[in-house]
Amino acid sequence: MASVEVVAHRTRDVESWVLAVKTGGAEYLFGRFGEGTQRVLADQGLVRLGRVRQVFVTGSGQSWTELGGVAGLLIGGTGLLTVYGSRRLQWAMATLRGVEFRQQVRFDVRYASTAIGNESMTVTPVELADATTDATDAVDDAATEQVVEGILQDMGSTTTQTRQLPVPPFGQNNTTMCYVIQPHAKPGRFNVAEAERLGVPKGPGFGQLRKGFAVTTPAGIVVRPEMVIEPGQDQDRIVVVDLATPGFVRAALDYWGSSSTSTSSVSTVMHILGPDIDPFSAEYARFMRLFPSTCRHLLAHPAYVPDAVAATRAAQVRTRLAAVWPSRFPVAPTTTTANPIPAGQDLVIEPAMARPDQPDVDGICGKVQAALSQQQDNEHPTTTTSSSSSVECVCVGTGSGGPSVFRNAVGTVVRISDACAVVLDCGEATYGGLRAMFSDAGVAALLAEIALVFVSHMHPDHHLGLVTLVDAWTRAAQTHRTLYVVGPRRIQTWLDDWAQVYDSFRDRVRFIDAECCCTTASGLTIKTVPAIHCDSSYSVVLLRSNSTAAVAYSGDTRPNVAFAAAARNATLLIHEATLDDTRVADAVAKQHSTVTEALLVARHALARNVVLTHISPRYSLEFMIGLDATAQDASVTVALDGMIIRCNR
C-alpha cells in the first residue's frame, strides 16, 4: 500500500515543496527542491535518504532557487540517485561540471519525456505550456540536450572538467512539469491452504508463486500463481501539479478536463501554486472538482502555510540559546499561523505542511546554555581604539563536508564597517540561514552592505549557495553597486553560466581570479594565499586602507606559515578546525586542521580575535561549546550556526 506524506514545505529558510510516496520499502520524492532540502529531510526524519530511489522535479526548472537542493541530494546522497525533470534541470546540473568532488559521485539526471516505470509504480510526466504565452522561440533543444547529456555522463569523478556548456534551453520557459503517479496493484492474498492442498512445498515454492512464477509439485502438478493468489487490488493514483502563474491553470483545466484524460481513482492531488494564483477562485475550484469528491487536496501555497523555519531541531537550539544570550543568537520573527482554509468548502483541502517529529532537545540545550553562561561571565572585553577597528562576524553555517542537523554548510558574513560587509565561502542555503536569523528588513540591510564574496575552493560545500545569494544581493543593493566575487577560475565559469538566466549578473557582478591576487575593491585590499588543500584552493586576508589586517580567513587548509604571516595582527582570524586533536592523522590525510593546529596558526599570526569554524558533524554541540568555554583565551570562539561575534582590535 502506497503512503503519501508532505515532507518539506516552503519556509523562511528553504524554498521547497516536497511530497514523498512510500511503498514496498522504497521512497520517491516529488516537488520543488530549494537549497537546504537535504538538511531538512535529515532534520525532520520523515524520509530515509538511503531509501530514496528516484526524485521527480516539478515546475519550470528555470532558476537555481527551485533546483539548488537537487545538487545537494545528488552530491550528498548514497548510491545512484536518478532525478527526472525538465530539459532545464539537466542544463542546471551540468553547470556543476567545475565542482571538485572528494569522491566518486554518480550523476543520473534525465528529461522526463515519457512514462517512467519502476518496481513500485508508473509515473507519467505531464508537461503543460502556459496558455497565455508563445513557445515558438525555443532553441535547438535536441542539439543542446546531446551536449548536456555528454557533460552529465562525464561528471561525478574526482577529475574536474571544463567543457563549454551551450545556451540553456530556456526558449520554452513557459512550460511546467507535473506528474501522475500510479502505484502498482496491491498483491492479492496468498491462499496458503489451497497451495498446500495442491501439494506445493512450503518455502521456496511459495516464494516463487508470490513472485509470479509457476511451480511444479513433486507429484508433477503445475501450479500457476493465479491458482493460489487472489486478484490484485488496484491502488488510487496521485497527482502533483505545479502551476506558477494563472496561465498554467488554464492549461491544467484543458488537460485534465479533456475526455481523453481520466481523473477517476485519484486519491490525492498536491497543488504547488505561485502566489498570484487564488486557489479558491471559481476557475481553480472548477479544476479541483475535476477529481473525485473524496480526493484529498494538499494546498502548497505560500499564503496557507506558516512562515516558520524548516530546520526544526537547529531552530529549537537557537531559540533556547537566544533566551540566554540574545545579542549573540538573533532569531528571525516567524509565525505558526497562516491564512485559514475558507469555511464552506465542499472539497477535502488541507495545507501542504510537513509534520516533523518534535525531538526533546532540552538536555543538549541545558548543557550549551550553562557553557555559554560561564563563557559570558568569564569574558574579558578588549580595549576599543575606535569604532572603525571593530568587526562583526555572522556565523551563518559552520559545518564541514555538507549540511547536517545542527550545522549547515560553511558560510560566514563579516561586517568590517557600517557600510562594508564580506561573505567568506557560501555553502548551500547560506541565504536561507540569514533568513532564519534576521527579519526581511534585516536581511535586506545586510545584503546591501555586502561588497565582496570570497570562495576558497571548488568543493561543493563552499559555494553551492552562491547563485541564490548573488541573486538576492542584486535585488537588495542599490543598482549602481558592484559585487566583487573572488575565487578560483571555475567560479567565473559558473557565474557566466547562470548569467544567461539572471541578467543582473552580467552588469553588476565582477569576478577576480584568486590566483596571485592582490587588488583593491570597495576600499579593501584583498590578498590571497595558496592554501594547503585541493587544487586551486586559497586563504584570504582583507586589509583596511591603513594597511592593517581586518579579517583573515583560512578556508580549508593544513596549518600554513605563509597564511599566518599574511594575517599578522589581524583583528579577526577565522580558521577551520575540522577535527579534534585525537584525529591528527585524518587531518593530514584530508588536508584539514585540528583545533590546536588552528590555534597555533592564530598565535603565530598574533590575531586579536579567533573564530574556529568548519566543524565536523561527528562532534556534538556541547562538546564544542565546552571546548569554547574552557579556552584560556577569551578571544577564541568555537562558532555555532546563527551566532554573532563582535570583535574589537
Side-chain angles (χ1 to χ4, degrees):
M1 185 71 178
S3 67
V4 179
E5 186 174 17
V6 178
V7 295
H9 66 269
R10 181 182 178 274
T11 56
R12 288 192 63 81
D13 52 336
V14 178
E15 292 276 346
S16 296
W17 302 101
V18 182
L19 185 75
V21 178
K22 306 177 183 181
T23 179
E27 304 184 9
Y28 305 86
L29 304 181
F30 297 80
R32 295 188 188 180
F33 296 81
E35 287 182 32
T37 299
Q38 176 193 4
R39 184 188 187 202
V40 170
L41 295 179
D43 172 272
Q44 300 192 350
L46 299 175
V47 167
R48 296 187 182 183
L49 293 175
R51 291 185 177 180
V52 175
R53 298 291 185 267
Q54 294 170 325
V55 173
F56 298 85
V57 181
T58 63
S60 67
Q62 70 179 80
S63 72
W64 187 255
T65 302
E66 58 188 279
L67 299 175
V70 175
L73 288 172
L74 284 170
I75 295 169
T78 57
L80 176 61
L81 184 66
T82 306
V83 181
Y84 294 91
S86 68
R87 290 187 178 94
R88 297 178 288 279
L89 170 67
Q90 290 183 303
W91 183 90
M93 294 303 104
T95 66
L96 298 172
R97 65 198 184 282
V99 168
E100 182 121 3
F101 297 100
R102 298 179 183 83
Q103 57 191 8
Q104 187 79 25
V105 178
R106 291 184 290 173
F107 278 78
D108 193 3
V109 183
R110 303 181 185 179
Y111 170 44
S113 57
T114 59
I116 301 140
N118 56 50
E119 68 272 20
S120 303
M121 62 186 67
T122 298
V123 179
T124 302
V126 178
E127 192 166 15
L128 301 176
D130 188 328
T132 64
T133 60
D134 184 8
T136 59
D137 59 339
V139 299
D140 186 353
D141 287 334
T144 298
E145 188 173 352
Q146 184 177 6
V147 176
V148 169
E149 287 184 347
I151 292 174
L152 288 171
Q153 289 173 5
D154 294 340
M155 284 178 61
S157 68
T158 54
T159 303
T160 59
Q161 57 170 303
T162 57
R163 294 178 61 180
Q164 185 174 359
L165 189 64
V167 174
F170 288 174
Q172 293 182 353
N173 60 6
N174 58 344
T175 63
T176 186
M177 296 298 300
C178 309
Y179 298 95
V180 177
I181 306 153
Q182 177 62 74
H184 292 171
K186 183 180 179 181
R189 186 180 68 86
F190 187 89
N191 192 329
V192 175
E194 179 64 13
E196 290 177 342
R197 188 189 70 79
L198 292 170
V200 178
K202 291 184 178 180
F206 282 23
Q208 288 294 98
L209 288 166
R210 285 192 172 99
K211 292 177 181 178
F213 299 108
V215 172
T216 302
T217 69
I221 300 173
V222 177
V223 180
R224 296 182 300 276
E226 61 269 21
M227 296 169 65
V228 295
I229 299 177
E230 296 177 358
Q233 179 182 355
D234 290 337
Q235 297 197 62
D236 291 337
R237 287 176 292 163
I238 303 149
V239 175
V240 182
V241 295
D242 190 319
L243 312 175
T245 61
F248 287 124
V249 177
R250 301 177 199 173
L253 273 166
D254 291 342
Y255 177 81
W256 272 280
S258 68
S259 58
S260 60
T261 303
S262 173
T263 57
S264 63
S265 301
V266 175
S267 63
T268 305
V269 181
M270 183 170 181
H271 305 261
I272 303 175
L273 306 179
D276 295 332
I277 294 178
D278 179 2
F280 298 102
S281 66
E283 182 181 44
Y284 206 81
R286 190 163 73 252
F287 172 60
M288 287 188 176
R289 290 192 176 93
L290 292 174
F291 300 95
S293 60
T294 56
C295 181
R296 175 191 182 202
H297 295 275
L298 299 172
L299 186 57
H301 189 289
Y304 294 92
V305 295
D307 182 22
V309 173
T312 53
R313 283 192 277 181
Q316 289 179 51
V317 170
R318 186 185 301 118
T319 300
R320 286 163 171 78
L321 294 177
V324 175
W325 208 337
S327 64
R328 275 210 169 184
F329 293 95
V331 177
T334 60
T335 178
T336 57
T337 61
N339 291 345
I341 303 298
Q345 298 294 320
D346 57 352
L347 300 168
V348 182
I349 304 174
E350 60 184 89
M353 291 174 53
R355 294 171 175 82
D357 296 333
Q358 295 298 326
D360 181 11
V361 295
D362 288 335
I364 185 174
C365 289
K367 296 177 183 178
V368 172
Q369 288 174 344
L372 278 176
S373 298
Q374 177 184 350
Q375 183 194 58
Q376 186 179 24
D377 293 340
N378 294 336
E379 188 174 61
H380 303 288
T382 55
T383 302
T384 304
T385 56
S386 69
S387 59
S388 63
S389 66
S390 63
V391 295
E392 181 179 87
C393 181
V394 182
C395 305
V396 187
T398 61
S400 69
S404 60
V405 170
F406 291 108
R407 292 186 185 274
N408 197 22
V410 67
T412 307
V413 181
V414 178
R415 280 181 162 132
I416 297 177
S417 67
D418 291 339
C420 180
V422 298
V423 179
L424 303 171
D425 277 331
C426 191
E428 180 182 353
T430 294
Y431 177 63
L434 288 173
R435 285 179 52 80
M437 296 176 66
F438 304 108
S439 66
D440 290 343
V443 172
L446 181 57
L447 288 173
E449 295 175 19
I450 294 173
L452 171 73
V453 179
F454 171 75
V455 176
S456 62
H457 62 293
M458 293 303 296
H459 281 158
D461 57 315
H462 290 256
H463 73 275
L464 284 186
L466 181 62
V467 170
T468 298
L469 186 79
V470 173
D471 177 48
W473 178 89
T474 61
R475 289 181 275 109
Q478 296 178 340
T479 55
H480 69 274
R481 295 278 303 277
T482 297
L483 180 67
Y484 295 89
V485 177
V486 180
R489 290 193 185 99
R490 278 170 278 164
I491 284 293
Q492 182 178 24
T493 301
W494 200 40
L495 289 171
D496 287 345
D497 286 341
W498 284 99
Q500 300 177 85
V501 180
Y502 300 94
D503 292 338
S504 57
F505 287 18
R506 299 179 187 276
D507 300 325
R508 303 192 61 193
V509 180
R510 179 183 170 187
F511 175 77
I512 300 174
D513 191 346
E515 184 176 0
C516 303
C517 171
C518 183
T519 188
T520 300
S522 299
L524 294 173
T525 298
I526 307 160
K527 290 185 177 181
T528 60
V529 179
I532 306 172
H533 196 54
C534 64
D535 291 341
S536 301
S537 57
Y538 304 93
S539 303
V540 69
V541 179
L542 304 173
L543 296 95
R544 297 187 178 91
S545 56
N546 60 3
S547 297
T548 59
V551 179
Y553 175 65
S554 71
D556 287 5
T557 185
R558 290 289 297 145
N560 189 348
V561 173
F563 171 64
R568 197 163 184 82
N569 294 318
T571 300
L572 171 63
L573 186 145
I574 305 170
H575 204 288
E576 71 119 295
T578 307
L579 299 163
D580 68 26
D581 296 332
T582 67
R583 292 184 172 269
V584 175
D586 287 345
V588 172
K590 297 177 181 179
Q591 295 184 301
H592 285 297
S593 297
T594 67
V595 172
T596 295
E597 287 174 334
L599 294 177
L600 288 174
V601 172
R603 180 179 296 178
H604 186 79
L606 301 178
R608 300 297 191 268
N609 302 274
V610 182
V611 171
L612 303 182
T613 189
H614 200 267
I615 310 299
S616 169
R618 63 169 47 88
Y619 302 114
S620 63
L621 290 183
E622 63 261 36
F623 173 85
M624 299 311 297
I625 280 289
L627 176 68
D628 189 9
T630 57
Q632 293 182 354
D633 189 342
S635 65
V636 177
T637 303
V638 180
L640 295 176
D641 279 21
M643 175 186 278
I644 293 180
I645 303 162
R646 296 176 177 88
C647 310
N648 292 320
R649 176 119 182 121

